[in-house]
Amino acid sequence: MATADAPGNGGNPDNGGNGGADQGIHGIHIGSVQGAFAIGNHNTVTHHQGSAPATDPVQQELLQAVRALREDLGRLVGSPEITALTAQLTDTEGEITESGAAGPGRLARLRTALTDAGSIVGLLSSGASVAQAVSALLGG
């Protein structure tokens, strides 16, 4: 258990604080904590309850290719096809990250977005990597 008014923490002067400058201010008491927490500015906490999703090597390859293609597309001038593809890539990344795999429906939507943005994707090696990984997972 941690308390803000413990000796030396600037709380109650009776507890060795700062000599009374904080009179009237009550300390912070943290009792039992379960899970994850952060104190202070600019902190990020990630807590995974239970076991992590199984990592399929092909899904992980797709995840890396999706991230690379999203980064490459961010450097291009926007178009409706790029916007739609970027949305599908974002959704695919989220699904793989959360569940360990992109489902067949998600992969089919990604394949359609890749086809619609074909002329743009064909110029990027990252696009070819995503297309190959999707084909491997969907079978063809």
Side-chain angles (χ1 to χ4, degrees):
M1 180 186 322
T3 62
D5 61 359
N9 286 343
N12 187 334
D14 295 334
N15 289 339
N18 62 5
D22 290 340
Q23 282 186 335
I25 298 176
H26 299 285
I28 299 170
H29 301 277
I30 300 173
S32 175
V33 176
Q34 185 174 13
F37 68 95
I39 298 173
N41 295 332
H42 312 293
N43 288 310
T44 301
V45 175
T46 303
H47 177 70
H48 298 281
Q49 190 88 3
S51 62
T55 55
D56 174 5
V58 178
Q59 291 282 345
Q60 290 305 305
E61 181 182 319
L62 174 60
L63 179 60
Q64 295 307 313
V66 161
R67 288 175 174 162
L69 181 54
R70 279 184 58 207
E71 187 175 323
D72 288 345
L73 289 175
R75 295 182 192 104
L76 300 177
V77 175
S79 71
E81 294 83 11
I82 290 176
T83 301
L85 177 56
T86 301
Q88 287 303 320
L89 292 168
T90 301
D91 292 347
T92 301
E93 180 178 357
E95 190 169 323
I96 295 171
T97 301
E98 289 182 23
S99 69
R106 169 74 53 217
L107 294 172
R109 289 187 295 277
L110 179 56
R111 184 190 304 199
T112 299
L114 286 165
T115 301
D116 292 347
S119 62
I120 299 163
V121 173
L123 299 173
L124 304 169
S125 63
S126 58
S129 297
V130 172
Q132 289 172 352
V134 169
S135 291
L137 288 165
L138 287 177

